């Protein structure tokens, strides 16, 4: 419990820290549910509750991710999409992402949920195409902007 609390506090501090940067407001665009976090330390030390990654699809500047996990109804699940901050210099460039689920629900039911994340913070100046590697997804996704 202490480990989850410390991690949640560190995620919140990352959000606060990122809001000070001029080019990253850390707010999702109006069509996405949540913002994507770019943080190498968070990516490398990510701790998540168990979930099954069912599917992911890019629509405009949002990635919709469908997951399933045990719980009471999924209404209290906290989901975060974290980018490593590293950009593989290829053509097109590549980025690496992990999804985190914080699940405090103690029920045995199994629910599916779709949540979307804003991809605009991942855009690279001078490029209009990125390959996204989402951990747990069998194939990569092509994000064109």
């Amino acid at each position: 419990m202490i480990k989850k609390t410390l991690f949640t506090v560190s995620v919140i501090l990352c959000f606060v820290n990122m809001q000070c940067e001029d080019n990253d407001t850390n707010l999702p665009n109006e069509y996405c549910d949540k913002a994507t976090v770019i943080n190498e330390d968070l990516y490398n030390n990510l701790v998540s509750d168990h979930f099954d990654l069912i599917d992911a699809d890019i629509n405009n500047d949002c990635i919709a991710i469908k997951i399933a996990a045990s719980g009471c109804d999924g209404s209290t699940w906290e989901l975060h999409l974290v980018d490593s901050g590293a950009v593989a210099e290829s053509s097109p460039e590549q980025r690496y992402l992990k999804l985190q689920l914080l699940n405090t629900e103690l029920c045995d039911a199994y629910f599916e949920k779709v949540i979307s994340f804003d991809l605009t913070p991942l855009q690279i100046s001078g490029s209009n195409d990125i390959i996204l590697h989402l951990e747990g997804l069998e194939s990569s996704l092509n994000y064109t902007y």
Side-chain angles (χ1 to χ4, degrees), residues 26 32 38 49 59 64 68 72 84-85 101 106 115 117 127 136-137 144:
N26 203 36
C32 307
I38 301 173
D49 290 311
N59 187 4
C72 300
S84 69
L101 170 66
L106 300 176
I115 189 162
F117 294 89
S127 178
L137 193 63
T144 303

Side-chain angles (χ1 to χ4, degrees), residues 58-90:
I58 295 176
N59 187 4
N60 294 323
D61 290 324
C62 298
I63 182 171
I65 302 174
K66 184 176 186 178
I67 68 160
S70 63
C72 300
D73 62 8
S75 65
T76 64
W77 292 352
E78 288 184 48
L79 292 152
H80 305 278
L81 184 62
V82 181
D83 178 84
S84 69
V87 177
E89 299 296 329
S90 59

Side-chain angles (χ1 to χ4, degrees), residues 14-81:
C14 288
F15 285 127
V16 172
N17 183 37
M18 294 175 91
Q19 288 178 349
C20 296
E21 296 179 21
D22 291 335
N23 61 350
D24 186 5
T25 62
N26 203 36
L27 297 173
N29 74 40
E30 63 184 294
Y31 302 107
C32 307
D33 298 318
K34 299 189 78 162
T36 300
V37 177
I38 301 173
N39 186 302
E40 180 182 9
D41 290 333
L42 187 58
Y43 178 89
N44 290 332
N45 299 302
L46 192 79
V47 176
S48 178
D49 290 311
H50 176 76
F51 65 90
D52 294 317
L53 180 57
I54 297 171
D55 194 20
D57 186 44
I58 295 176
N59 187 4
N60 294 323
D61 290 324
C62 298
I63 182 171
I65 302 174
K66 184 176 186 178
I67 68 160
S70 63
C72 300
D73 62 8
S75 65
T76 64
W77 292 352
E78 288 184 48
L79 292 152
H80 305 278
L81 184 62

Side-chain angles (χ1 to χ4, degrees), residues 86-96 124 126-133 142 145:
V87 177
E89 299 296 329
S90 59
S91 185
E93 292 90 353
Q94 301 178 56
R95 298 193 77 131
Y96 300 88
I124 299 168
S127 178
N128 63 355
D129 196 25
I130 302 171
I131 296 173
L132 301 178
H133 301 283
N142 191 20
Y145 50 94

